[in-house]
Amino acid sequence: MTDDAPPLSEAAKRALAEAEARRKAAAEADADPRPPEEGGRAGPEPVRYGDWEVKGIATDF
């Protein structure tokens, strides 16, 4: 930034503070992942990849 830029308005300052808080919250969420599922299916997540198949039988629910 240059020195001849106009000062930020109060709304702009609030927006920058809110954006920083969201970035910090997202970083904290990534740092503390959920525990792994116990007894779940092996392989890719079927909801994400649309692979509802177990032992050759396709299911849809």
Side-chain angles (χ1 to χ4, degrees):
M1 263 177 97
T2 60
D3 292 334
D4 41 313
L8 294 175
S9 68
E10 289 301 314
K13 290 177 186 177
R14 285 192 308 271
L16 288 172
E18 181 181 337
E20 180 61 30
R22 287 184 183 193
R23 282 192 292 273
K24 186 176 181 181
E28 289 174 359
D30 289 342
D32 187 26
R34 293 182 179 179
E37 180 179 354
E38 293 183 18
R41 287 188 46 182
E45 177 65 36
V47 173
R48 182 172 180 191
Y49 296 101
D51 185 21
W52 293 100
E53 177 267 329
V54 176
K55 297 182 182 178
I57 299 172
T59 60
D60 186 16
F61 45 105

